[in-house]
Amino acid sequence: MIDPALSVDEVARSLLGARLRSLVGDELTEVELTEVEAYGGEDDPASHAFRGRTARNESMFGPAGTIYVYRSYGVHWCMNIVTGPEGTGQAVLLRGGRPVAGEAVMVRRRGRPTNLADGPGKLTQALGIDAMHDGLRLGATDLVALVLGESPRPTFIATPRVGISREADRPWRYVLAH
């Protein structure tokens, strides 16, 4: 599903408009991905893989299509999709989505009716994604599925990455144009 021959930024762009489904506790939720951010692995100082493998980032070095979930600032879960050849530590952070299915479930999980998935922590909370999903492979389980769009690629805007201090100017944040 995720072609390991593609660069991390190519995969990031291809994820825009894709649908991400989760099945947690028999509750189905789904979003259309609207914002993603690429991280290039050991040659990218902003990447969790920059300093090599650790217990925290082990999933990031798995095969393309592996889910890498980590805790941000000890508060929010963030979800990435691993790209590139196994062992390279490349991944795409899923930064935001638009609810498509299971919105009532998302409202309950988030405790609010608005801004359900417009940030990486909000997205995972709305979908019920947490540490139990770390290391799973897309397509190998019904718990998390990615459906890539078959229509022409949507129009997007490329911007510098946000929320990081190193290599922030790299234009690897991609947002659907509205």
Side-chain angles (χ1 to χ4, degrees):
M1 174 171 287
I2 301 295
D3 184 348
L6 295 176
S7 68
V8 67
D9 58 313
E10 288 175 308
V11 173
R13 292 188 301 266
S14 77
L15 292 175
L16 289 172
R19 292 187 174 201
L20 182 67
R21 289 186 194 135
S22 70
L23 181 62
V24 176
D26 293 325
E27 295 181 309
L28 179 70
T29 53
E30 183 174 335
V31 298
E32 175 189 26
L33 294 174
T34 58
E35 182 180 352
V36 297
E37 203 165 73
Y39 288 90
E42 292 178 312
D43 67 341
D44 181 355
S47 172
H48 289 178
F50 182 65
R51 288 187 164 77
R53 286 180 197 244
T54 66
R56 177 187 189 212
N57 70 12
E58 181 65 30
S59 296
M60 207 174 172
F61 290 87
T66 298
I67 297 169
Y68 166 51
V69 178
Y70 67 91
R71 192 75 118 161
S72 177
Y73 301 109
V75 179
H76 304 287
W77 295 109
C78 294
M79 178 180 172
N80 297 256
I81 297 175
V82 174
T83 71
E86 191 167 354
T88 61
Q90 300 172 31
V92 176
L93 171 63
L94 307 181
R95 291 196 56 86
R98 182 176 310 128
V100 173
E103 191 166 339
V105 173
M106 293 181 200
V107 168
R108 188 183 77 247
R109 287 177 180 160
R110 294 269 304 122
R112 61 183 306 153
T114 60
N115 302 98
L116 294 176
D118 61 344
K122 296 175 188 180
L123 175 72
T124 54
Q125 186 179 22
L127 292 171
I129 302 293
D130 61 20
M132 77 172 216
H133 297 93
D134 183 49
L136 295 178
R137 297 274 318 273
L138 292 171
T141 175
D142 290 336
L143 296 179
V144 182
L146 181 68
V147 181
L148 296 173
E150 294 180 15
S151 59
R153 286 282 154 231
T155 304
F156 64 88
I157 300 165
T159 75
R161 298 182 291 188
V162 296
I164 56 175
S165 57
R166 292 193 266 164
E167 294 287 326
D169 58 340
R170 199 178 286 201
W172 277 6
R173 176 177 167 254
Y174 302 102
V175 182
L176 278 183
H178 299 294

